[in-house]
Amino acid sequence: MRIVVSEPHCPKSVQGFSYDPEPNRSFDRLVCETESFAKKLNALKTARSDRGFVVRVSEDDMDSDEDVESAQEEEEDYSQICTCDDLYLSDDEFDHELEYMMDKMDLAENDHQTKTKEDIKNQVSVVEKEIMNEIETSRSALARVEKYRENRREVERRLDLQYKRKVAEALDTHMSAVQREHEIKSQIEERIIRSEEAQEEAKKRERANQEEKIRQEKGEKEVIERVSVVALALEKHRLKKLEELEAMNQELKSRLNQDFRSFERSIGRSIRQITGVKDTVDAKINEIVKVFKDPRCPLSISIAAFAKRMVSCRQNPFACSYIIGYVTSKFPQAMDILLAEFHKACIYTVPNHDVNSVWDSEAYERLDSTMRLYGALVQTDIRGGNATNIHGIEHGWAWLARFFNNISAINIATVTALNAFLQTAGFGLHQRYKSQFVKVMNVEPEGRTMKTSLLSTEFTAVLDQQNNNQHYQRNDYIDCY
């Protein structure tokens, strides 16, 4: 609130009464002091009317003119209210003069009060206006402050909502990350558990496979030993039959005293004239069967001549094998004699191997031609009529298994025998046994164990080419029938 300071045009104090308002006083206090001053002034008038007017001048005030002048200067304001000359007045004059002075003083006092009141009113109105302005200013300021406060509250509310939203999003993101982490951990743990279970299951299967492999190896070893024994027994049995047949033929020749060489030459001539033409093969089959059925020549002599000359034949192995298959289907007893001749001509037809054998170029040629003919024989499939190959592809598969299981060394002889056999029998074995045949060809025998492939790398390319050639030759030959 604004402070009002009033300066009246009168002495500061008269008879102990002060007209000078205190600074920083309020309006209410000023009114209160004015009323108090009026009361004191009325009391003073009452007191002065009861007693006479006495003017006293102290001796100290009259000591010097300088002191009078200074006193007059100090009390200059008072001289306007009350001035007395150094005159002697009577009581009436004094009363009259006092009354006149009192009236004059009352008029001055009234004028002064009126002027003071007007000034006070003016100042009060100014103060009221200023107060109202201050109030309006304060109200507008308060309104602005309140509006600013509301704006700040709205901004803070929005910021708080935004902050809460961000906190919620961050919390949601964190919870999602934690959930994903838990899921990942659970998946990892589950994978670890499954992996451990799979490893344990794999170990169990591996142990079971090893045990089964050991049992199979034992069984295979027993089978191999048994098969080897069977093969050797069959070889001995066939060779024994051949010896008995030769002995019986010698006895017949000596007992009958006849020359059967014409029949033997007829069989040999028919075999030498075998070609891959259908009519020729049919004619040679008829000639050989006719000799076999000729009553003038014992069947044993015809069989012995047929087996010996057929095994030594080195041309057209597929045509010869077809003739062998057809003739032996009509005369089954000739097959053992023929196989015995194969065993005598080449021990690899058993199969068997003699590490002490010495091989020359002619022996290798004979080995190659014999194994080609034997391979062609086991894969021959006679179509039409009532003829059947009694030494078919299953015997070739058995021979291949025996060869890999019984061979004790890899040398030129074993490689030549295997190569010649596969060149004629490989296509039929693959057609019959497919993936098993491929697996067998991807191993190499080492004693009675199997190791990494050497035979396949050496012979696969040649085998493919030969099989293609055999396929075309065999199809061309079979189409003739």
Side-chain angles (χ1 to χ4, degrees), residues 253-271:
K253 289 178 182 180
S254 62
R255 180 166 57 83
L256 297 175
N257 196 16
Q258 291 182 6
D259 189 4
F260 301 106
R261 285 180 292 183
S262 60
F263 297 100
E264 293 175 353
R265 285 194 297 269
S266 176
I267 292 173
R269 183 171 57 253
S270 299
I271 292 173

Side-chain angles (χ1 to χ4, degrees), residues 178-196:
V178 171
Q179 186 177 2
R180 285 196 302 270
E181 185 178 359
H182 285 305
E183 290 177 356
I184 292 172
K185 286 183 179 179
S186 62
Q187 291 176 0
I188 292 173
E189 292 177 356
E190 186 177 357
R191 289 177 182 175
I192 291 173
I193 293 172
R194 287 201 302 266
S195 177
E196 291 177 353

Side-chain angles (χ1 to χ4, degrees), residues 286-457:
N286 293 329
E287 292 175 0
I288 294 171
V289 172
K290 185 178 179 181
V291 173
F292 273 45
K293 292 181 178 181
D294 194 337
R296 293 175 298 173
C297 179
L299 182 59
S300 59
I301 294 176
S302 300
I303 290 174
F306 172 77
K308 187 179 291 292
R309 286 168 175 76
M310 186 60 76
V311 171
S312 62
C313 181
R314 297 185 180 182
Q315 72 276 4
N316 297 317
F318 292 101
C320 293
S321 64
Y322 190 86
I323 294 173
I324 293 172
Y326 192 89
V327 171
T328 54
S329 67
K330 300 298 182 181
F331 303 94
Q333 64 273 28
M335 181 57 75
D336 286 337
I337 305 303
L338 182 70
L339 293 174
E341 291 290 345
F342 271 117
H343 298 337
K344 286 180 64 177
C346 178
I347 61 175
Y348 283 101
T349 58
V350 176
N352 199 356
H353 179 65
D354 186 4
V355 295
N356 297 322
S357 299
V358 178
W359 298 79
D360 55 9
S361 59
E362 184 179 357
Y364 284 117
E365 291 178 2
R366 186 170 60 252
L367 171 63
D368 183 77
S369 62
T370 304
M371 292 306 301
R372 284 176 184 272
L373 180 58
Y374 182 74
L377 172 62
V378 298
Q379 67 92 44
T380 298
D381 184 13
I382 302 175
R383 298 181 181 179
N386 56 358
T388 303
N389 186 3
I390 62 176
H391 195 78
I393 196 67
E394 65 277 2
H395 293 278
W397 181 253
W399 180 92
L400 189 64
R402 292 168 186 170
F403 179 85
F404 282 121
N405 290 323
N406 293 337
I407 194 169
S408 59
I410 299 296
N411 51 33
I412 298 176
T414 55
V415 171
T416 301
L418 180 62
N419 183 37
F421 177 81
L422 292 177
Q423 283 182 354
T424 54
F427 179 79
L429 291 170
H430 184 267
Q431 287 294 104
R432 177 71 175 273
Y433 297 99
K434 300 184 185 303
S435 60
Q436 294 180 1
F437 175 73
V438 175
K439 290 180 181 179
V440 170
M441 293 309 300
N442 284 330
V443 296
E444 172 196 350
E446 183 180 7
R448 292 190 178 180
T449 61
M450 310 298 265
K451 66 175 187 178
T452 57
S453 61
L454 175 63
L455 293 175
S456 59
T457 56

